[in-house]
Amino acid sequence: MTKALSLLISATTILLAGCEPGTEEVTPLSEGIIYCSEGNPDTFNPQLITSGTTVDATAAQLYDRLIDYDAEKQTFVPALAKRWEPLDNGTRYRFYLREDVKFHSTDYFSPTRDFNAEDVRFSFNRWLDETSLYHNVGGGSYPFFSATGLDKLIQKVIKVDKMTVDIVLNNADSSFLANLATDFAIILSAEYAQQLSVKDVPYLIDLKPIGTGPYRFESFRKDVLIRYTKHPEYWREGPGIEQLVYSITPNANKRMLKLVTGECDVIPYPLISELQALNRDDIVVTNEVSPNVSFWAFNTKKPPFDDPLVRQALSHAINRQAIIDTIYYGNAELARSILPPTSWAYDNQGIQYGYDPEKARKLLEEAGYEQLTINIWAMPVQRVYNPNARRMAELMQSDLAQIGVNARIVSYEWNTFRRRLSQGEHDTVLIGWYADNADPDNFFRPLLSCAAVATGGNRANWCHPGFDELLYEAISTTDAAERKALYQSAQHILNQQLPLLPIAHSRRYQAQKKTVRGVQLPPYGGINFRLATKVTPAEESAQ
């Protein structure tokens, strides 16, 4: 046993000793996979939320979309739509739907028909049409669609015939297909919705989900587990396992111990500082460059953060390279833009707010503040883009003290944190973004548009009409050179206004047993168990 592993087990044993008696533990599965997730989903419908925890637990497991994105080929590929075509100069798209696609049969729903155009119409109109019976079920907020402007872009969804749908746009938009290929544009069952409506329990559509995806919902116990079983009539190649269980394990050390002891087969976000503990013959650790960014957002609706000079001063006070070295252990790149360097619209001039405490002090004095007290909200969960927000906040707290700024660190349970953050209660927040698709627009409108202020996705609460205009010009053309120039102009505005300070672009890590195969980490977020399978230790050794 390595020293690192010994320390890990000792520390986690102490943690386990403090658990309440009677807590249900997930037992290992011979014909299934246990995924140790870091938190509870907010809902079982990703239309309603942009939380990575919710997306991981639901989108690719329970549902399908009209189209998918093949990152290797960098192209859109058929899913529930077997083909599509643009019409009317790109203001209408016709989708020809796939036949013989079955919805889940469960103990609470038995479908009487296959997937068809009614399901597409219902799924889109739920978030698109405010008069829809289901629009306000679950709160009536659809942050991804509002922030990207899809709810304003789409004029209507027309059923041409049983297996053909037209989506009519108010104007051509070069990001339209990319947004349809995200984890949020899922297809629900209209028949199931109708049954729930008749029973006067429409809210169950988001709690007891029905989709066409590779797994069907069995049960959920908050803070304990989610249990899925294989969809036996899945329309394309599906999983080689019978069960998929999410063992909800917020503590990173405990997740790593569970992997080592065989209580989990796959874990996300292994502690980079403890990777040596996973250097074992029965475990595989993977990592890849991913399109993400961590950032420090200033609530520009609150003084003094409404003053760009204050935002600039605070940004100069932060030693971002020390954060890269300490929090990411060098496994991240210093961010010079909200866009990662892999994006074709990246501006290599980038953010020029280097670590300069003296300049920070002068800017703060120029803004009229010699001393200042602020709050830094730090996420209570690990994310790909930020493995330890609390520790990052502590480093920043120390940096800020050098310029006379007293920073208090604030955190809550994750769902409470997100709710209060959306209500704008924060001064500043350490959070980030993982791209949903390959279009640069995905780093701008969901995070920094005026529309995203209304949905709570714009953590800076920053609305700049000139910036918004550039974004809408960029999606109104298909000319790549013109779009790049517009996005770089948008980045120049961000550099000057600084509603948020980009910190790092991180690598994505995952650890799993060698007996697990086929678990996919799409480059644009989420996790996909569609092709997951599991071999026995003997079979693995023989290969």
Side-chain angles (χ1 to χ4, degrees):
M1 180 182 294
T2 66
K3 182 179 179 181
L5 178 57
S6 177
L7 290 172
L8 173 63
I9 291 177
S10 298
T12 312
T13 301
I14 293 171
L15 183 149
L16 288 172
C19 290
E20 294 180 4
T23 299
E24 179 182 341
E25 290 293 334
V26 180
T27 56
L29 301 173
S30 59
E31 295 185 356
I33 287 174
I34 299 175
Y35 175 65
C36 272
S37 66
E38 81 284 8
N40 295 293
D42 299 88
T43 172
F44 284 90
N45 181 356
Q47 291 179 327
L48 302 174
I49 205 81
T50 55
S51 160
T53 304
T54 298
V55 168
D56 285 355
T58 61
Q61 314 343 315
L62 295 169
Y63 303 103
D64 293 302
R65 290 145 296 283
L66 289 178
I67 63 175
D68 287 337
Y69 180 74
D70 187 322
E72 187 175 329
K73 297 178 181 177
Q74 297 187 1
T75 188
F76 302 109
V77 294
L80 292 180
K82 58 188 178 183
R83 63 186 178 90
W84 61 92
E85 58 184 346
L87 303 169
D88 301 340
N89 297 314
T91 61
R92 178 190 296 258
Y93 281 80
R94 177 160 292 176
F95 294 87
Y96 300 91
L97 306 181
R98 192 176 300 277
E99 286 134 358
D100 302 320
V101 173
K102 313 292 183 184
F103 281 101
H104 301 150
S105 290
T106 67
D107 59 2
Y108 54 87
F109 176 66
S110 297
T112 64
R113 63 165 178 79
D114 292 348
F115 156 76
N116 66 32
E118 282 300 327
D119 302 303
V120 177
R121 236 173 31 127
F122 167 74
S123 301
F124 278 74
N125 282 337
R126 176 171 179 185
W127 52 264
L128 186 63
D129 182 1
E130 293 183 1
T131 67
S132 165
L133 177 65
Y134 270 82
H135 182 80
N136 291 316
V137 172
S141 176
Y142 303 89
F144 176 80
F145 304 106
S146 298
T148 56
L150 268 184
D151 57 349
K152 300 292 188 294
L153 173 67
I154 297 176
Q155 183 185 124
K156 55 187 173 181
V157 180
I158 301 171
K159 176 183 174 182
V160 178
D161 59 41
K162 184 178 178 182
M163 302 307 291
T164 311
V165 168
D166 277 4
I167 298 181
V168 181
L169 310 182
N170 285 311
N171 51 268
D173 186 318
S174 56
S175 68
F176 173 64
L177 289 179
N179 286 325
L180 284 198
T182 64
D183 285 324
F184 307 101
I186 60 161
I187 300 300
L188 305 167
S189 166
E191 182 186 19
Y192 179 50
Q194 177 62 27
Q195 286 190 16
L196 293 179
S197 180
V198 169
K199 295 176 183 177
D200 201 25
V201 286
Y203 61 90
L204 289 180
I205 196 169
D206 304 320
L207 301 179
K208 289 192 168 183
I210 292 293
T212 61
Y215 296 93
R216 56 187 180 181
F217 177 83
E218 289 288 330
S219 62
F220 169 52
R221 285 195 58 192
K222 186 179 179 183
D223 299 326
V224 180
L225 63 81
I226 310 167
R227 192 179 300 278
Y228 296 138
T229 56
K230 178 181 179 179
H231 180 15
E233 298 179 289
Y234 190 51
W235 58 273
R236 57 181 165 180
E237 183 182 359
I241 54 173
E242 294 301 317
Q243 285 193 66
L244 173 62
V245 172
Y246 281 57
S247 177
I248 298 164
T249 314
N251 183 274
N253 289 103
K254 189 175 179 182
R255 287 199 299 271
M256 291 179 72
L257 179 64
K258 282 186 170 185
L259 181 67
V260 169
T261 59
E263 296 173 74
C264 285
D265 298 298
V266 184
I267 65 169
Y269 319 122
L271 293 170
I272 299 173
S273 59
E274 298 287 355
L275 287 180
Q276 184 184 348
L278 301 181
N279 186 18
R280 296 162 51 94
D281 291 341
D282 61 336
I283 291 174
V284 175
V285 178
T286 59
N287 75 88
E288 59 181 27
V289 176
S290 58
N292 66 71
V293 63
S294 64
F295 54 80
W296 187 27
F298 307 103
N299 189 346
T300 60
K301 283 190 175 178
K302 283 186 175 183
F305 312 104
D306 56 345
D307 186 343
L309 281 179
V310 172
R311 303 195 295 262
Q312 293 167 17
L314 296 177
S315 297
H316 275 301
I318 304 305
N319 189 340
R320 292 183 294 151
Q321 188 56 54
I323 288 174
I324 301 291
D325 297 337
T326 306
I327 303 300
Y328 299 90
Y329 292 85
N331 292 289
E333 183 174 341
L334 185 68
R336 301 190 181 280
S337 168
I338 194 78
L339 284 178
T342 52
S343 172
W344 54 262
Y346 178 71
D347 178 9
N348 58 14
Q349 297 303 307
I351 296 286
Q352 300 301 319
Y353 293 91
Y355 178 51
D356 191 338
E358 184 59 34
K359 188 169 185 178
R361 273 189 292 269
K362 289 179 179 177
L363 285 169
L364 208 55
E365 289 173 10
E366 187 181 339
Y369 298 92
E370 291 188 5
Q371 289 190 326
L372 194 60
T373 296
I374 69 171
N375 291 332
I376 300 175
W377 284 36
M379 295 185 304
V381 297
Q382 290 174 282
R383 296 258 61 91
V384 172
Y385 49 75
N386 193 331
N388 193 335
R390 176 80 192 198
R391 178 65 180 132
M392 186 182 292
E394 290 169 354
L395 294 178
M396 293 169 62
Q397 184 182 51
S398 177
D399 287 342
L400 291 166
Q402 295 181 42
I403 66 163
V405 174
N406 175 35
R408 296 190 294 243
I409 300 171
V410 175
S411 195
Y412 300 97
E413 179 273 331
W414 182 224
N415 289 340
T416 303
F417 184 92
R418 288 176 52 82
R419 176 176 53 79
R420 299 184 73 158
L421 189 63
S422 295
Q423 292 169 352
E425 296 180 22
H426 60 294
D427 285 352
T428 71
V429 61
L430 284 173
I431 201 158
W433 183 252
Y434 198 113
D436 303 303
N437 60 56
D439 198 290
D441 177 73
N442 192 249
F443 274 93
F444 291 108
R445 279 198 291 167
L447 295 180
L448 289 162
S449 66
C450 296
V453 173
T455 64
N458 185 333
R459 306 308 188 184
N461 284 314
W462 179 76
C463 176
H464 189 290
F467 179 80
D468 258 32
E469 186 177 341
L470 289 170
L471 300 188
Y472 285 100
E473 283 184 40
I475 60 172
S476 299
T477 178
T478 56
D479 185 294
E482 186 179 350
R483 293 191 77 201
K484 182 173 182 176
L486 289 164
Y487 285 129
Q488 292 195 343
S489 294
Q491 288 170 82
H492 294 163
I493 292 177
L494 292 181
N495 293 348
Q496 296 160 6
Q497 291 288 311
L498 214 69
L500 53 79
L501 175 68
I503 295 173
H505 305 294
S506 172
R507 297 188 71 84
R508 184 180 186 184
Y509 282 82
Q510 179 170 288
Q512 64 186 49
K513 289 290 189 180
K514 281 189 176 177
T515 51
V516 173
R517 309 288 168 81
V519 178
Q520 298 173 326
L521 289 176
Y524 298 102
I527 187 169
N528 193 329
F529 288 94
R530 177 171 73 85
L531 298 175
T533 189
K534 190 176 183 182
V535 300
T536 65
E539 289 171 329
E540 193 279 324
S541 298
Q543 293 178 2

